[in-house]
Amino acid sequence: MSDRPVFTYQTRLRLAAEQVAALDAYADLYGQAERALFARMRVGIPMGDLKREFLRRFGITARQFNAIRVGLEGKIASIRERLPEWIAEAESRIQRAERVIGILSAREPGSEKLHQKKRRLGNLRARLAARIADRDSGRVRLCFGSRRLFRKQFALEENGYASHAEWKEDWQAARSDQFFVIGSKDETAGNQSCRASIEDDGSLTLRLRLPDALASDGKLLVIPGVRFAYGQEEILQALAASRVVFSQTKTGKPVRKREGVAVSYRFLRDRKGWRVFASVEARPVPIATSRLAGAVGIDINHDHLAVAETDRFGNLRRALRVDLNLYGKTEDQAKAIIGDAARMIVEMARERGLPLVLERLDLKKRRAELEVASPSAARKISSFCYSKTIAMLKAACFRAGVEGIEVDPAYTSVIGAVNHARRHGIGSHQGAAYAVARRGLGLSERPTVREAIAPARNGGHLTFALPVRNRAKHVWSFWSEVRRRLKAAHAAHARSGGLREPPAPLLPETRALGATWALPAQSRHANRRQNCSADVIDDLPW
């Protein structure tokens, strides 16, 4: 399997009534076959026998069965991968519930609140036992149509339903609202079940192969005038890459085969109509950066990205803060904001010929922390923000030919606060980005001071003595002790009322080093990508 990333682009289709009806029937048949296949797979029937059975039972082609199988196996694999995280989250929630019950037992014995907390704890333990049993037995629980919608039938009025029949209509529609058409590089136009052809005006015409059970009026559904707002050129290049190659076997027999790029399609129905998603494998881009010129380090935070640029010796050139105002935004708006920031940062790294250094974050641990966090803390450790930022930075690096370097995030915040923040007149997050960049270049992380003067949350600073370093041990053992003292110093600073003090001003000679950049606020649509022209890059304080 190729290790190249796969990019997916989407567009909304303009369809006639008969085309909509054909897609609805296809999705309904696809959903029935998918649910039946899941039930038969749990029995343990071999896949070869299932394929022969389903081709006759549902009137589908072999490629359409493969698409159903691949999509279903992907869902099963994602659930199995997520199961250990669910178990860890349940254990964390049980520990928190036990602490709360212990406090309430001493303060409010026999109260209704204590009773409800004990019921909650019993439910959590039962859920944990069920998930552990699923893990040990290999069982997978999959609810087609979403478990959230399924539970709405038990509270119809609260969820806006006048009757159970109204809910059932939504439930059946949700269970049959999409279908997948798998592609292959040895097929015409990368997909024999949905072939795309390029028209003279640059648009695409999709010829979707209907299942035999629905092909009463013809086997093909023709959808003309398809255009992708983003990714049109990539899709056209993938279609143009399809060609016929002639070769010979070992015995000298001539062989004719097709080579190209696989293009897979997913058709999805929402409240506005049908959309199509086209997935193509990205073409490799030559690396245009070098570690010999330095590096750009990034520290990811819930409301901003801290960026630091170094030269090849590890000296700080520039520090930057990129604001990400994600609070109150929808998922699509958040993706657009993060994507614009990632694209512009990678573009700046490409212009300077520098690789991008990222932290290799443990998102599973963050999801477990998220379950027991308060709402304000949950926003700070949101796994969505971190995972999307990392994914979009990696994708932007691949497209631009920028080398992406992942490093261990251990103690980068402590090193940035103690070693770099005050020394360079930058914030602790920018200091962490500087530490990330230096780690990506493999430079030293030994302490540079004997007395730490670290930034405080209000803009001031706090001071504490560093421990004596044991040079026989790894330097991270030293930073582990520094982190413990830094936490204690922050706690003492907060208890003493230090957070109420006004922030200390930056020194005049260091004020110009740090800078802040906010993404442009204007946009064409509230839930579409923000308009950030390339001219913005030239105006940045770099």
Side-chain angles (χ1 to χ4, degrees):
M1 181 178 294
S2 176
D3 57 352
R4 299 178 187 174
V6 175
F7 294 143
T8 301
Y9 310 97
Q10 63 169 308
T11 187
R12 187 167 295 281
L13 299 175
R14 297 180 179 178
L15 304 172
E18 58 273 12
Q19 294 173 322
V20 173
L23 293 180
D24 290 343
Y26 194 151
D28 183 64
L29 181 64
Y30 184 96
Q32 294 179 28
E34 184 181 33
R35 297 190 294 272
L37 180 60
F38 178 69
R40 300 287 280 169
M41 288 174 59
R42 293 187 60 179
V43 179
I45 302 176
M47 190 59 65
D49 297 340
L50 289 176
K51 185 172 185 178
R52 289 189 292 270
E53 173 191 344
F54 275 62
L55 295 188
R56 296 190 303 268
R57 177 180 173 184
F58 292 97
I60 57 179
T61 64
R63 292 297 293 169
Q64 291 166 351
F65 175 84
N66 291 339
I68 297 173
R69 175 186 57 82
V70 169
L72 184 58
E73 289 177 347
K75 294 178 181 179
I76 294 174
S78 64
I79 292 175
R80 286 177 174 167
E81 183 180 358
R82 186 79 169 91
L83 189 58
E85 302 175 22
W86 286 336
I87 293 175
E89 292 170 4
E91 291 174 345
S92 300
R93 298 172 75 173
I94 288 174
Q95 292 177 1
R96 182 181 182 185
E98 290 174 344
R99 290 196 300 267
V100 172
I101 289 175
I103 296 174
L104 290 177
S105 299
R107 295 181 180 178
E108 306 176 22
S111 63
E112 177 66 18
K113 186 176 182 180
L114 176 60
H115 172 69
Q116 296 298 335
K117 291 295 182 182
K118 289 182 177 180
R119 289 189 58 192
R120 174 65 171 167
L121 178 60
N123 293 336
L124 290 175
R125 287 174 175 170
R127 187 180 304 172
L128 176 61
R131 287 175 174 171
I132 292 177
D134 291 344
R135 181 195 60 187
D136 297 339
S137 63
R139 182 182 182 184
V140 174
R141 301 174 187 268
L142 180 57
C143 181
F144 296 92
S146 82
R147 188 171 301 174
R148 176 179 297 180
L149 181 57
F150 178 77
R151 290 175 175 171
K152 288 184 178 181
Q153 65 176 315
F154 306 114
L156 296 174
E157 294 183 1
E158 291 82 347
N159 292 288
Y161 289 106
S163 63
H164 190 271
E166 184 179 349
W167 167 86
K168 189 175 181 180
E169 183 179 353
D170 286 350
W171 170 249
Q172 292 176 342
R175 287 158 65 89
S176 303
D177 63 350
Q178 60 179 304
F179 60 90
F180 179 60
V181 186
I182 190 171
S184 179
K185 65 180 182 181
D186 59 353
E187 297 174 350
T188 304
N191 195 315
Q192 73 175 21
S193 298
C194 184
R195 296 196 306 271
S197 58
I198 307 174
E199 303 300 333
D200 295 336
D201 59 354
S203 64
L204 300 177
T205 298
L206 301 181
R207 290 174 172 83
L208 178 64
R209 171 69 158 85
L210 297 176
D212 295 336
L214 305 176
S216 58
D217 298 332
K219 292 185 177 181
L220 293 180
L221 175 63
V222 180
I223 306 176
V226 179
R227 293 181 181 271
F228 292 83
Y230 303 99
Q232 180 82 0
E233 289 298 326
E234 286 77 4
I235 296 174
L236 295 180
Q237 292 173 1
L239 297 176
S242 180
R243 59 193 178 95
V244 177
V245 179
F246 296 92
S247 61
Q248 291 183 348
T249 62
K250 294 181 180 180
T251 60
K253 182 180 179 180
V255 177
R256 178 181 181 273
K257 63 179 181 179
R258 181 172 292 275
E259 291 183 353
V261 178
V263 184
S264 298
Y265 300 92
R266 181 177 297 277
F267 291 80
L268 174 66
R269 182 183 61 223
D270 56 19
R271 295 181 178 179
K272 296 182 180 179
W274 280 94
R275 289 185 292 167
V276 61
F277 296 77
S279 299
V280 296
E281 189 179 77
R283 297 180 305 155
V285 179
I287 298 297
T289 60
S290 173
R291 305 187 189 191
L292 299 178
V296 175
I298 294 184
D299 179 63
I300 302 175
N301 301 278
H302 72 285
D303 60 348
H304 74 279
L305 301 178
V307 186
E309 178 190 343
T310 71
D311 59 17
R312 62 192 181 100
F313 301 106
N315 299 317
L316 181 65
R317 285 178 176 171
R318 300 170 186 88
L320 179 69
R321 173 189 168 105
V322 181
D323 289 323
L324 298 177
N325 184 18
L326 305 180
Y327 182 69
K329 299 296 190 299
T330 65
E331 182 176 340
D332 290 336
Q333 290 173 330
K335 288 180 181 179
I337 294 173
I338 295 173
D340 289 338
R343 179 178 57 82
M344 289 190 175
I345 291 174
V346 170
E347 180 64 22
M348 290 185 290
R350 187 191 64 80
E351 289 183 351
R352 289 160 178 78
L354 303 178
L356 200 66
V357 187
L358 304 171
E359 293 178 320
R360 191 184 304 109
L361 299 177
D362 186 0
L363 299 178
K364 295 181 180 179
K365 181 179 179 181
R366 288 191 176 274
R367 293 192 189 103
E369 294 173 348
L370 192 65
E371 289 295 324
V372 297
S374 62
S376 60
R379 289 194 294 270
K380 296 182 180 180
I381 62 176
S382 171
S383 60
F384 169 81
C385 173
Y386 286 88
S387 61
K388 287 300 177 184
T389 302
I390 293 173
M392 290 184 178
L393 284 171
K394 288 182 179 180
C397 286
F398 186 89
R399 289 191 179 101
V402 174
E403 180 185 7
I405 306 172
E406 288 189 283
V407 298
D408 196 309
Y411 309 112
T412 53
S413 298
V414 180
I415 297 173
V418 174
N419 268 5
H420 308 311
R422 183 173 177 83
R423 178 182 179 184
H424 296 286
I426 57 179
S428 58
H429 295 297
Q430 294 172 341
Y434 182 30
V436 169
R438 287 179 57 89
R439 182 171 293 179
L441 297 177
L443 300 176
S444 172
E445 296 180 342
R446 65 179 184 272
T448 59
V449 294
R450 295 184 178 180
E451 184 180 58
I453 304 178
R457 298 173 185 173
N458 68 331
H461 65 274
L462 49 87
T463 305
F464 62 96
L466 295 180
V468 178
R469 181 188 171 195
N470 186 346
R471 296 183 179 271
K473 296 182 179 180
H474 194 276
V475 69
W476 284 3
S477 63
F478 166 80
W479 289 115
S480 177
E481 177 62 20
V482 173
R483 182 176 64 178
R484 187 186 66 82
R485 296 195 181 189
L486 181 60
K487 288 183 178 180
H490 275 298
H493 185 69
R495 288 194 301 268
S496 65
L499 297 180
R500 293 191 295 269
E501 298 177 1
L506 285 175
L507 299 177
E509 60 270 18
T510 61
R511 186 177 298 145
L513 186 58
T516 301
W517 170 43
L519 290 173
Q522 67 273 11
S523 61
R524 290 184 299 172
H525 301 286
N527 60 345
R528 298 290 299 275
R529 292 179 57 87
Q530 294 189 351
N531 294 327
C532 296
S533 62
D535 298 334
V536 178
I537 299 177
D538 300 330
D539 298 333
L540 294 176
W542 283 65

